[in-house]
Amino acid sequence: MSRNLLFSTSTELIRLPAENVVFISAEGNYSSIKMVNGEEYVLTQQLGQMEKHISEMVEENDNRFIRIGKSLIVNHEFITFINPSRQKMILSDCKTFRHELSASKDALKALKDFIEKESKK
């Protein structure tokens, strides 16, 4: 089901289709949203605020957005590669975009375990 994410600050409003959000990264007191089409939006909200806000907007059983460590929220539908020992993850649609990201070994190991469990359901 398509769902829009709505982010509002004192000066701007951004409405984005959830399925087109690839990842959100922390940049101090700001969060950067990277989209499938390559667009990027920077908001004056910390990542924890973004995570809470997203959880309030998506349906209860929609677990596409996963917090990875302290600095990332990823759309797990785009995860194509995880290597915890190299602290590397690739998000891609296997056609038009590819993003290589870093995260802690523990965070990537937990993510790998989560995805393996999800695929067995």
Side-chain angles (χ1 to χ4, degrees):
M1 179 177 172
S2 178
R3 177 74 187 216
N4 284 323
L5 300 178
L6 183 69
F7 301 101
S8 180
T9 67
S10 60
T11 58
E12 57 193 4
L13 176 117
I14 301 172
R15 191 177 80 177
L16 305 168
E19 68 271 7
N20 291 341
V21 174
V22 180
F23 68 92
I24 304 169
S25 60
E27 297 180 11
N29 288 331
Y30 297 87
S31 294
S32 176
I33 304 170
K34 191 69 164 183
M35 303 297 294
V36 168
N37 64 3
E39 288 186 38
E40 186 172 359
Y41 298 93
V42 178
L43 294 170
T44 57
Q45 292 183 1
Q46 293 179 335
L47 198 63
Q49 294 169 306
M50 297 288 284
E51 180 181 29
K52 183 176 184 276
H53 195 67
I54 290 169
S55 70
E56 294 168 354
M57 286 185 282
V58 297
E59 295 178 11
E60 190 174 323
N61 61 350
D62 185 348
N63 61 357
R64 87 179 81 203
F65 294 105
I66 303 172
R67 177 85 181 250
I68 311 295
K70 295 180 181 181
S71 62
L72 284 172
I73 297 172
V74 300
N75 183 336
H76 91 314
E77 294 174 6
F78 294 119
I79 296 172
T80 56
F81 177 82
I82 300 172
N83 186 323
S85 64
R86 290 177 43 206
Q87 296 180 285
K88 179 179 171 181
M89 168 176 49
I90 296 174
L91 303 176
S92 175
D93 67 352
C94 298
K95 292 183 264 179
T96 59
F97 71 88
R98 180 182 187 275
H99 299 284
E100 187 172 316
L101 304 172
S102 295
S104 73
K105 289 180 185 181
D106 291 339
L108 289 176
K109 174 74 171 110
L111 176 63
K112 181 179 175 288
D113 293 343
F114 172 79
I115 291 174
E116 288 172 343
K117 285 179 188 174
E118 284 289 307
S119 68
K120 292 178 183 177
K121 287 184 179 180

